[in-house]
Amino acid sequence: ERVLDRGFALVTDAAGRPVKKAAGLAAGTGVAIRFADGSRQAVVGDAPPDKKAIGPKPPRKDDRQDQLF
């Protein structure tokens, strides 16, 4: 439970067994994703999502900052 509270999720297959690797799931396989505040059902796709759909990247550290000190 505490791991889920930190932002992780637990993915289980149709039999309720934890899925540890993406390679173990074929496209079209149904899974359950458990979060800290509840669960959702999902279907595995055959390609990773578009990076833009995930959200923007955090800003990069400005390497020039080190030169100020």
Side-chain angles (χ1 to χ4, degrees):
E1 298 294 324
R2 296 192 63 153
V3 173
L4 299 178
D5 287 335
R6 293 194 316 246
F8 290 91
L10 173 64
V11 179
T12 56
D13 62 14
R17 295 181 299 251
V19 176
K20 296 181 180 180
K21 296 186 179 196
L25 295 172
T29 302
V31 295
I33 305 172
R34 185 172 160 200
F35 302 93
D37 64 345
S39 296
R40 295 285 189 219
Q41 300 296 315
V43 177
V44 176
D46 60 353
D50 183 356
K51 289 183 181 180
K52 291 180 184 175
I54 295 172
K57 289 183 179 180
R60 280 185 54 191
K61 177 186 172 201
D62 187 351
D63 292 332
R64 296 174 296 161
Q65 182 71 29
D66 293 333
Q67 297 172 0
L68 297 174
F69 297 105

